[in-house]
Amino acid sequence: MKIVLQRVEYASVKTFGVTIGEIGKGYVVLLGIGNGDTKEKVTKMAEKIKKLRIFADENGKTNLSIDDVCGGVDKNSWYNYFTKKTKKSIITSLKVRCITHGKSRKLYSE
C-alpha cells in the first residue's frame, strides 16, 4: 500500500471539467493498494491517518486531528504508484505489484 496525504483548506476533484467531489478543510488522500494488502491493513492505516494531529489550534500550534476540526477526506485511487521507471520509459507493473481491480475497489470503498 502506498499513500500520499495532503492537508488542505479546500480541494475539489474534476473529471472533464465537471466537479465530482469537493471538501473544505481536510485531507486529500492518494491511495494505491497492492498485493498483500488486506482489509486489516487498510483499516489500520485509516486509523493512523485519522489520529494524525496536523491541524493548527486557536494558538497556531499544530495539535488537532481531522475529527477535532470536523474535516473532510477526499480519497482517490491511484494505481500509478505501482510503476517501474526505466531509462527509456515508465512501465506499469500491474501484474506484479497491484491487486485486481475488483479486490482493490472493495478495499478502497471500505
Side-chain angles (χ1 to χ4, degrees):
M1 178 180 344
K2 293 186 180 186
I3 295 175
V4 173
L5 177 75
Q6 183 175 4
R7 180 185 63 192
V8 297
E9 291 294 321
Y10 170 82
S12 66
V13 177
K14 293 183 179 186
T15 301
F16 301 109
V18 177
T19 301
I20 59 171
E22 62 184 325
I23 61 169
K25 184 180 283 191
Y27 298 142
V28 172
V29 179
L30 303 177
L31 174 64
I33 299 175
N35 280 327
D37 291 332
T38 62
K39 180 179 178 182
E40 291 76 25
K41 285 183 179 180
V42 173
T43 301
K44 185 176 179 180
M45 186 57 67
E47 287 300 317
K48 284 183 177 185
I49 290 171
K50 186 177 174 182
K51 292 177 183 176
L52 288 174
R53 304 180 73 75
I54 61 174
F55 292 96
D57 64 13
E58 64 277 354
N59 298 320
K61 186 174 180 184
T62 305
N63 69 357
L64 298 178
S65 71
I66 194 158
D67 285 342
D68 296 332
V69 298
C70 300
V73 176
D74 181 6
K75 62 182 181 175
N76 299 282
S77 177
W78 208 15
Y79 73 89
N80 290 341
Y81 286 156
F82 296 97
T83 60
K84 292 181 184 177
K85 189 172 183 179
T86 66
K87 289 182 181 179
K88 294 183 179 181
S89 66
I90 295 176
I91 302 167
T92 305
S93 54
L94 293 175
K95 289 184 180 178
V96 176
R97 301 172 82 185
C98 288
I99 61 177
T100 64
H101 176 73
K103 289 180 185 177
S104 176
R105 189 152 187 82
K106 183 179 178 192
L107 286 175
Y108 175 79
S109 59
E110 291 177 351

